[in-house]
Amino acid sequence: MNTATKPDTDVLQQIREQAGQRFEQLGWPTPRLEEWKYTNLQALQSRFDAGAFREAATPAASRSSASLPLRFGDRALGELVFVNGVFSPEASSLPSVAGLRVTTFRNASVDVLEEHFARYADYERHALVALNTANAQDGAVIEADAAIEGFVHVLFVGSDGFQSFPRNLIVAGRGSQLAVVESYAGTGAYFTNSVTEIVAEDGAVVDHYRLECESLEAFHVGTVQIHQGRSSSVSSRSFAVGGAVARNDTNAVLAAEGANLVLEGLFVTNGTQHIDNHTLIDHAVPHCESVELYKGILDGSSRGIFDGKIMVREGAQKTVSRQTNKNLLLSKTAVVDSKPTLEIFNDDVKCNHGSTIGQLEEEPLFYLRSRGIGQEEARNLLVYAFASELVDRIRIDAVREQIGRAMFQQMPGRLPDRRGEQR
Amino acid sequence: MLEIKNLHAGIDGKEILHGLDLHVGSGEVHAIMGPNGSGKSTLANVLAGRPRYHVTAGSVSYEGKDLLALPTEERAREGVFLAMQYPVEIPGVNNIYFLKAALNAVRKHHGEEELDAMEFLQLARQKMKLVELDEAFMNRAVNEGFSGGEKKRNEIFQMAVLDPKLAILDETDSGLDIDALRIVAGGVNALRSEKHSVLVITHYQRLLSYLVPDFVHVLANGRIVRSGGKELAEELEQKGYEWIEQEVAAGAR
Ligand SMILES: Nc1ncnc2c1ncn2[C@@H]1O[C@H](COP(=O)(O)OP(=O)(O)OP(=O)(O)O)[C@@H](O)[C@H]1O
Ligand SMILES: [Mg+2]
């Protein structure tokens, strides 16, 4: 069992206290705020205030590691498992690979925390980041200073009645290469409030995958904050299917010339689910490029949101940026809001954005049916095809399979066994 | 096998076919020719059950069944196949997966055992050779990025795999060079038998010299205005459609 205390050096303690105070000042976000106009956290807030969720002190002994979902086991270089926010050493395996340091937040060196903790995710402006920063229990601290083959998996599992505040820090040093998968799952009604900070130093290459596959009763508010150095290359891919109410923020600052960012997201909602995706790409300097594609598939009476802003600052000439959001509505009662925004403060840029909302197209549906495929199966095939564009871009086979399975399970109809047949 | 009587049909509320009659017997190959806009594709699409096409009067009986009462996929499972004039691209749906699902849906309908991946691949390979399609195409998305000729060959490949009783080819020859034309005709000829009927929609005699029809019909203004043997196609090739349209107009006066 891990009995190390929280990394409470003076500096860190100071940050926590500041964040806590800031949360008190900001209060819970309400739909009156532009950034929260589609998502009402009232139900969460009242439960939270009433103390409906408790914090875990030890990983639930009842959960044998065999019953944990979404495990990669040997296929990952290392796997860190947190149950209700608490590290489970029995279920975890730490990698021993040259150039790669993986530890828990609690065991991380004070140096790395002092250098990076809360430097990027802005608790002054974002209440839920402040809440996490004040309460952050544990999480993964992953540092690379070489080109690492393979990937590290960080898994957070929640269970009924708990709240947790996962906090991750990913630092890819100069010229290094690193892939990290971050997943969230669980059972029952619980609250996850996570923050992941990703730093790609000069020339670093980072591939980040985030699978939000929380229980359908859970509340999830997660933030990914990316900070990019010169000529760094980052991809962050978000796959969201879980949660009664889920809010996923991914923000990136391209802080030095030549930085390159790929932001992608796929959200699949059904029943009465509500999944809100916000992204902010901040082009702060010249000669950076960002490409963003988000897709939503909405069924039942669910609601999905894509709100993505690209900010090109005054000095950021020669910025290239492309933002696309496509949504597929599978029922008459599902709703999607799409709000792509470009804010450009200089005219020497190449930027475009677009969004579509539509139903399944008649022509492909007819084509499939005209060959004997039933209406239902034809529909499913086309829905999978829509999602596959993003799933197929996952470069690591094991990750693509795992995430594909998690996503397709939530989709209507049965999962066609198509994976093995591609190439 | 196919009996069309007094068919009135159209698209989006506009009537295109104004009382069409056609009888296709088992094992017969019928060619339908006619000017642009005369309703050839409308006929093909109505037979396949394409959305937005509607029938206002008349009947279509296929092997004694009311074809128009069946949903699209049922028609396909009963052996009706339409090689489309403009095959749609379906990104993200793998060609080979799609066709295996289709074939197994047809087999299931007939109480036959479904083919597993290996068995299917074996069959598919054999049919690919027939239309000289490279295996690489099979692992791509349905029609995505295919050239015009490749799309048409893919239609014939699908036909060969599904082995329909009534194949309707809507201008499958258009835009094909002579080699591709020979391949397409070869694919259809391989299907010909006592039990297989073919309805070939075309503008050109070209295809019909490889795929010799038993009957040729001229469709003009939504009706079959003339029927004959294969000589009719040659006559049309030389004289165009105008003389027939004039004769019809004269007769109507
Ligand atoms: N959506 C539509 N609404 C109204 N009229 C339509 C629509 N689609 C097609 N038409 C018309 O229906 C008529 C018949 O079209 P059809 O495609 O059946 O002709 P065709 O004989 O196949 O012609 P082609 O030789 O050019 O392929 C044409 O005049 C066409 O313009
Ligand atoms: Mg036509």
Side-chain angles (χ1 to χ4, degrees):
Chain A
M1 172 103 95
N2 175 18
T3 51
T5 48
K6 289 190 185 185
D8 291 28
T9 65
D10 288 349
V11 182
L12 293 180
Q13 191 48 37
Q14 222 177 327
I15 292 174
R16 287 172 178 288
E17 278 166 19
Q18 277 167 13
Q21 283 162 14
R22 191 61 190 145
F23 179 74
E24 294 304 322
Q25 289 163 359
L26 290 168
W28 285 83
T30 72
R32 279 197 301 274
L33 297 170
E34 182 61 26
E35 287 176 11
W36 287 88
K37 75 179 201 190
Y38 302 108
T39 299
N40 193 336
L41 292 182
Q42 184 60 49
L44 169 62
Q45 184 190 347
S46 48
R47 286 201 217 185
F48 183 87
D49 288 345
F53 305 114
R54 61 192 184 281
E55 238 171 274
T58 61
S62 61
R63 274 200 172 273
S64 77
S65 56
S67 75
L68 291 168
L70 302 176
R71 306 260 291 177
F72 282 100
D74 291 346
R75 289 174 302 166
L77 292 173
E79 191 160 53
L80 281 74
V81 179
F82 299 82
V83 178
N84 294 315
V86 179
F87 183 59
S88 165
E90 298 79 17
S92 302
S93 63
L94 294 178
S96 56
V97 175
L100 178 65
R101 262 191 315 283
V102 178
T103 181
T104 60
F105 187 73
R106 284 178 183 235
N107 287 331
S109 79
V110 170
D111 290 350
V112 68
L113 292 180
E114 279 193 353
E115 188 177 348
H116 295 294
F117 173 62
R119 295 281 176 239
Y120 315 100
D122 187 358
Y123 61 82
E124 286 294 335
R125 280 200 52 219
H126 300 290
L128 274 297
V129 171
L131 184 66
N132 172 282
T133 306
N135 293 286
Q137 297 152 293
D138 211 348
V141 176
I142 303 171
E143 297 168 88
D145 51 29
I148 307 299
E149 266 185 62
F151 64 99
V152 177
H153 182 218
V154 189
L155 169 63
F156 297 92
V157 183
S159 56
D160 197 62
F162 285 94
Q163 63 188 20
S164 67
F165 303 92
R167 183 82 187 203
N168 302 305
L169 176 62
I170 298 166
V171 182
R174 284 176 71 96
S176 69
Q177 187 173 342
L178 178 61
V180 177
V181 181
E182 183 185 338
S183 345
Y184 296 84
T187 50
Y190 55 91
F191 170 40
T192 310
N193 173 210
S194 72
V195 172
T196 297
E197 292 177 289
I198 301 174
V199 188
E201 292 179 350
D202 296 354
V205 177
V206 178
D207 289 315
H208 171 247
Y209 303 92
R210 188 175 195 277
L211 174 61
E212 186 272 287
C213 192
E214 302 275 31
S215 126
L216 293 176
E217 297 162 75
F219 295 91
H220 179 99
V221 183
T223 299
V224 174
Q225 184 72 44
I226 300 164
H227 186 87
Q228 291 192 240
R230 176 178 278 271
S231 300
S232 64
S233 184
V234 173
S235 72
S236 182
R237 295 180 162 89
S238 155
F239 296 86
V241 281
V245 176
R247 163 75 178 233
N248 304 300
D249 283 42
T250 303
N251 307 318
V253 178
L254 290 84
E257 293 189 15
N260 184 302
L261 171 70
V262 172
L263 271 199
E264 289 176 354
L266 174 64
F267 52 102
V268 177
T269 61
N270 206 339
T272 55
Q273 268 184 294
H274 180 112
I275 300 188
D276 184 353
N277 306 280
H278 273 237
T279 66
L280 172 62
I281 302 175
D282 184 350
H283 280 272
V285 298
H287 296 290
C288 292
E289 183 171 342
S290 61
V291 182
E292 178 173 29
L293 171 63
Y294 263 68
K295 283 184 159 190
I297 300 174
L298 304 105
D299 205 348
S301 302
S302 66
R303 184 164 189 190
I305 294 110
F306 171 76
D307 185 333
K309 188 193 279 188
I310 294 174
M311 166 101 96
V312 182
R313 293 186 189 270
E314 205 181 330
Q317 295 91 1
K318 307 287 181 201
T319 291
V320 177
S321 181
R322 194 166 71 239
Q323 182 188 46
T324 313
N325 171 227
K326 296 181 185 169
N327 302 289
L328 186 56
L329 290 175
L330 297 178
S331 83
K332 292 204 162 59
T333 44
V335 178
V336 67
D337 294 285
S338 177
K339 198 175 147 219
T341 318
L342 281 174
E343 277 184 23
I344 305 178
F345 297 98
N346 82 73
D347 49 21
D348 186 13
V349 300
K350 255 193 225 143
C351 298
N352 61 61
H353 66 162
S355 92
T356 59
I357 299 173
Q359 280 109 41
L360 284 178
E361 286 177 66
E362 222 169 45
E363 283 299 305
L365 208 51
F366 168 67
Y367 191 86
L368 299 177
R369 292 177 65 203
S370 79
R371 301 313 187 224
I373 296 176
Q375 163 97 19
E376 173 115 353
E377 191 177 357
R379 259 174 68 98
N380 291 345
L381 266 176
L382 294 176
V383 175
Y384 295 125
F386 183 82
S388 293
E389 183 183 4
L390 288 169
V391 173
D392 288 349
R393 289 188 196 181
I394 301 175
R395 277 192 289 256
I396 306 167
D397 290 347
V399 179
R400 186 176 57 251
E401 282 160 26
Q402 179 97 287
I403 289 181
R405 206 174 306 125
M407 299 305 289
F408 293 140
Q409 253 163 22
Q410 295 293 324
M411 289 189 208
R414 87 196 145 82
L415 167 69
D417 175 27
R418 58 186 284 281
R419 290 285 131 195
E421 310 198 19
Q422 293 207 316
R423 82 207 56 199
Chain B
M1 122 116 18
L2 183 72
E3 186 76 54
I4 303 174
K5 281 190 187 146
N6 188 35
L7 183 66
H8 290 255
I11 178 168
D12 289 347
K14 184 181 168 204
E15 185 171 294
I16 308 291
L17 301 180
H18 310 291
L20 181 141
D21 295 289
L22 182 68
H23 172 87
V24 178
S26 244
E28 294 174 357
V29 174
H30 290 240
I32 295 188
M33 305 179 82
N36 292 123
S38 58
K40 303 182 298 295
S41 292
T42 303
L43 173 63
N45 287 324
V46 164
L47 294 178
R50 196 189 206 104
R52 291 168 53 208
Y53 286 84
H54 56 87
V55 173
T56 45
S59 65
V60 179
S61 143
Y62 167 75
E63 294 197 305
K65 292 188 233 9
D66 178 4
L67 186 72
L68 301 176
L70 300 177
T72 294
E73 57 267 37
E74 291 284 316
R75 300 181 196 192
R77 292 169 190 169
E78 289 288 342
V80 177
F81 180 93
L82 170 61
M84 310 215 185
Q85 186 170 5
Y86 306 108
V88 64
E89 300 195 6
I90 315 182
V93 175
N94 175 274
N95 220 355
I96 207 85
Y97 175 80
F98 145 68
L99 194 53
K100 175 167 161 267
L103 178 63
N104 279 333
V106 173
R107 292 179 67 93
K108 210 167 140 191
H109 180 75
H110 293 289
E112 294 163 2
E113 216 166 291
E114 296 187 22
L115 295 188
D116 66 26
M118 283 310 293
E119 292 166 326
F120 177 77
L121 216 57
Q122 223 171 357
L123 173 74
R125 286 215 174 98
Q126 188 192 327
K127 303 297 183 187
M128 265 179 250
K129 282 212 193 85
L130 187 68
V131 293
E132 297 180 25
L133 251 180
D134 195 90
E135 220 172 293
F137 283 100
M138 296 304 97
N139 284 317
R140 283 168 50 182
V142 178
N143 293 324
E144 192 184 30
F146 287 27
S147 72
E150 287 160 356
K151 283 181 185 163
K152 297 298 177 77
R153 271 192 281 165
N154 193 26
E155 295 290 288
I156 298 304
F157 164 62
Q158 292 174 26
M159 184 194 76
V161 168
L162 296 174
D163 192 30
K165 280 186 250 172
L166 174 64
I168 305 162
L169 313 183
D170 190 0
E171 294 200 28
T172 305
D173 54 338
S174 297
L176 294 187
D177 60 30
I178 200 75
D179 292 329
L181 194 71
R182 222 178 274 134
I183 291 167
V184 162
V188 182
N189 281 326
L191 182 87
R192 280 179 93 156
S193 83
E194 290 293 293
K195 293 196 190 90
H196 296 84
S197 306
V198 185
L199 203 57
V200 199
I201 294 170
T202 181
H203 283 288
Y204 310 104
Q205 161 63 23
R206 241 163 36 119
L207 175 66
L208 301 181
S209 49
Y210 297 104
L211 176 58
V212 183
D214 301 303
F215 300 93
V216 175
H217 310 274
V218 178
L219 178 55
N221 300 318
R223 277 192 201 95
I224 303 282
V225 294
R226 175 147 316 193
S227 298
K230 63 176 193 288
E231 340 63 65
L232 180 56
E234 285 153 23
E235 202 176 347
L236 288 168
E237 180 88 354
Q238 284 164 19
K239 301 208 256 172
Y241 298 110
E242 238 165 73
W243 64 280
I244 291 191
E245 285 178 315
Q246 278 163 11
E247 275 189 31
V248 170
R253 228 178 276 139

